[in-house]
Amino acid sequence: MLSIKNLQVELEEEDKQILKGIDLEIGEGEVHAIMGPNGSGKSTTSYVLAGKAGYKVTAGSAELYGNDLLDMNPEERAAAGLFLAFQYPVEIPGVGNMTFLRTAVNAQRKARGEDELSAGQFLKIVREKAKSLKIDADMLKRPVNVGFSGGEKKRNEILQMAMLEPKMCVLDETDSGLDVDAMKLVAEGVNALRDGKRSFLVITHYQRLLDHIKPDVVHIMANGRIIKSGGPELALEVEENGYADILAEVA
Amino acid sequence: MAIIHPKLSGAANLVANYPMPYGAKWANDIRTNAITAFNAQGAPHKRDEYWRYTDPSELTVVPTKPAALFSNDESPMFDLVDCIRIVFVDGIIDTDRSDDLSLIGASIEMLSDVTSTDIHWAKDLYGKLESNGQNPVHRPLAALNTAVAGHGLVIHVTSKCDKPLAINYVHNSETSDVMLHHIIKIDEGAEFTLLESGAGAARFNSVIEVDVSDDAEFHHVRTQGRDHERKTVTHLFGRLGHRSIFRSFTMTMNGILTRNDAVLEFTGDDAKATVAGACAGDGNNFHHDDTVFVTHDSINCESRQVFKKVLRNGATGVFQGKILVKADAQKTDGYQISQGLLLDENSNFLAKPELEIYADDVACSHGSTVGAIDEDALFYLASRGVPRKQAQDMLVLAFLAEAIEEIDNNDLANDIRDRLTAWMEHG
């Protein structure tokens, strides 16, 4: 479903290549993980997929179910089924979390030509999903992410994912800033969304998250390239030996 | 040969432009004094300290330039609120479109009737707060208004009013040049809510004097819009007695020139006042100026000024706000915030926050910021599927929300929010 071919990306502001040819095929229902040292281009990959400004694609393609993602603006990518869980969710003072969620859900439904949810329908669904993520009514009322703890912000990302029901979920270091319990809660939220059709790309530094969200394939990224791919055991190898061995092996 | 000072001749020209109302002796005396004051000050000029950021010439040129009428099929402002309605068309009351003015808790009379009456309480208020408010800053267009305004409302509030009074100012003639002057006296323990809407005229000059007695409350929500070519100058003068409450909020959209002056004086202890405003301006023919002067001359009073302006396509917003705390006004809590959100590089926000404090036991704070829309927030919303235009509107509304929250009546605040959303959509 997600097909990335030879993706090469530069920063728009300076002449610096960040991604040097990424190839990645993620099939329906699969969970892939990308691991790698700082500065390897993991987060850039997620931003470029979601359509963040500031990056210039110089070669390659990225398609979701055959639709050219790179040709769409960010809201079209979202409506096409792509979701990015942010490493640093943005605080938006003055916009209520509930209003935000409902606007997003209905904007996507509208873009896909579906009927918008009524306030009542929406409320019923959001309450149910918020409950399983231990998000209380107060968090739904507060402005988006304002004053949320690190764990609350990440749970809020997963709630958005659950409400928007994307086809392809990209999680950018969702485990950063989480304690063990919060990580478990977030992972349970993600696992609840695994239905055999929905696919996931989990970006992380650490193997720990992958104990909870079991990947089918693990990729190691370094210096703008995927240098090695394998099964879950690859993540364990990184956990034990760090990246040095793999980097040396490839070089 | 007599040399005529250009400012003076401008002032004389302006006075001659309006028919001089004739009334009882007390009214004539007040008007004559106001003309003397106005002539002494001269018409405002952009060289004047408080007109440096706003060129007043559109407010002083004779005759005023025509302003196209703005038509829309929107429902009347405040239509969901149970209130007494009064309609002024180009400055003249339209009795057919106005409700019966019997309001429980207040008497409402016409200024033209009152000023022809030999004995009336209005003689102690008409022009009084305006004239007090001329010092230390001159407000010539308010003096001019006191001198030549023949119409307006004289309101005496004796208890808690059961309904708000909603005045709608209809702009119906492209060349109307209107002066309106309302005075409102709120007795001890009484409460009154005034709602205002509409452009009023091609050029609209309004003065409101509000005397809030001890333990009384005044609430004011106003919308100014949406005629693009209108020129508006308003002065809101308030005096606050002991433990009184004064709250005023204004939303402005469109208009080539809007100048809103609020001049408040605390004369009683433990009183609270808020003056707030939200404006959305689009285009280089939009100019909006809030000028506020709050004088603390009593103990333990609280004043808040909260102003937010969203500006795009070359629009200009101005804020001049002052808190003056006199030597005896201990325990004063003064707050002032003015913020501009510029949606492009062609728009301007000019702010002049001022504090002048002579008491030593006070808490005063002020802040003024100007910034662009948060691109990270825009991307975050877009990544969730919200189209850019809608996302921008959400962030603009969120920015203005802080000012709208100063309205303490939820129904009115929601009405303002809904209108703002619709107005941003349709311009």
Side-chain angles (χ1 to χ4, degrees), chain B residues 304-319:
Chain B
R304 293 172 62 78
Q305 302 173 31
V306 180
F307 288 89
K308 299 266 196 164
K309 297 174 201 278
V310 178
L311 304 160
R312 72 178 91 191
N313 297 324
T316 299
V318 176
F319 173 76

Side-chain angles (χ1 to χ4, degrees), chain A residues 208-220:
Chain A
R208 223 172 30 174
L209 179 67
L210 304 179
D211 282 344
H212 302 290
I213 306 172
K214 298 254 188 299
D216 301 303
V217 184
V218 175
H219 308 275
I220 306 297

Side-chain angles (χ1 to χ4, degrees), chain B residues 65-376:
Chain B
K65 290 180 197 144
L69 306 180
F70 184 90
S71 65
N72 68 89
D73 51 6
E74 195 178 276
S75 60
M77 195 71 215
F78 307 121
D79 59 339
L80 300 175
V81 182
D82 183 17
C83 53
I84 300 286
R85 288 168 206 282
I86 297 183
V87 176
F88 282 88
V89 178
D90 293 314
I92 307 291
I93 191 165
D94 183 336
T95 45
D96 291 342
R97 289 159 75 181
S98 300
D99 291 337
D100 172 14
L101 298 187
S102 55
L103 177 64
I104 297 168
S107 86
I108 303 172
E109 297 174 87
M110 295 295 124
L111 181 68
S112 49
D113 298 338
V114 166
T115 49
S116 320
T117 309
D118 285 333
I119 298 172
H120 198 282
W121 63 263
K123 75 176 170 49
D124 295 324
L125 184 54
Y126 186 77
K128 173 81 175 306
L129 299 183
E130 174 267 301
S131 129
N132 288 351
Q134 294 290 349
N135 196 9
V137 179
H138 287 166
R139 305 175 199 282
L141 294 173
L144 175 68
N145 181 299
T146 297
V148 302
H151 295 280
L153 300 175
V154 174
I155 301 168
H156 186 192
V157 185
T158 50
S159 64
K160 289 184 183 179
C161 276
D162 59 341
K163 291 175 187 175
L165 174 69
I167 309 178
N168 180 223
Y169 305 106
V170 177
H171 172 206
N172 195 44
S173 151
E174 289 193 353
T175 55
S176 52
D177 189 359
V178 165
M179 294 269 171
L180 274 181
H181 195 125
H182 306 309
I183 61 172
I184 304 169
K185 179 176 156 66
I186 309 177
D187 285 352
E188 264 186 52
E191 289 178 23
F192 182 65
T193 299
L194 174 66
L195 311 176
E196 296 183 282
S197 61
R203 178 160 70 189
F204 187 63
N205 177 329
S206 121
V207 167
I208 304 178
E209 299 179 89
V210 192
D211 188 81
V212 191
S213 304
D214 296 352
D215 301 299
E217 291 188 21
F218 174 66
H219 298 266
H220 179 221
V221 176
R222 166 169 67 181
T223 61
Q224 297 172 300
R226 285 151 73 200
D227 305 39
H228 290 272
E229 293 168 357
R230 68 172 170 80
K231 287 83 62 179
T232 306
V233 54
T234 73
H235 288 84
L236 177 63
F237 294 97
R239 182 201 69 91
L240 285 89
H242 292 291
R243 299 167 302 277
S244 63
I245 289 173
F246 184 110
R247 299 180 77 107
S248 174
F249 170 86
T250 302
M251 177 171 85
T252 310
M253 235 1 242
N254 305 341
I256 56 172
L257 179 54
T258 306
R259 164 76 171 238
N260 294 326
D261 274 39
V263 185
L264 303 187
E265 187 175 16
F266 287 92
T267 63
D269 301 338
D270 307 310
K272 288 181 181 173
T274 300
V275 193
C279 100
D282 191 345
N284 56 12
N285 56 357
F286 177 89
H287 187 107
H288 183 272
D289 176 337
D290 284 300
T291 296
V292 181
F293 200 113
V294 177
T295 304
H296 285 269
D297 198 11
S298 55
I299 297 164
N300 196 36
C301 291
E302 190 184 313
S303 70
R304 293 172 62 78
Q305 302 173 31
V306 180
F307 288 89
K308 299 266 196 164
K309 297 174 201 278
V310 178
L311 304 160
R312 72 178 91 191
N313 297 324
T316 299
V318 176
F319 173 76
Q320 308 183 93
K322 178 152 182 170
I323 307 173
L324 170 62
V325 182
K326 294 196 173 175
D328 293 332
Q330 301 294 2
K331 307 282 181 197
T332 288
D333 184 353
Y335 174 74
Q336 181 194 90
I337 181 95
S338 62
Q339 295 184 304
L341 176 63
L342 307 183
L343 298 183
D344 53 58
E345 289 178 359
N346 302 321
S347 301
N348 293 293
F349 178 60
L350 305 161
K352 188 172 73 170
E354 290 180 281
L355 297 181
E356 191 176 334
I357 302 172
Y358 296 100
D360 52 16
D361 183 14
V362 302
C364 280
S365 60
H366 68 96
S368 192
T369 65
V370 57
I373 205 130
D374 182 348
E375 283 295 330
D376 287 339

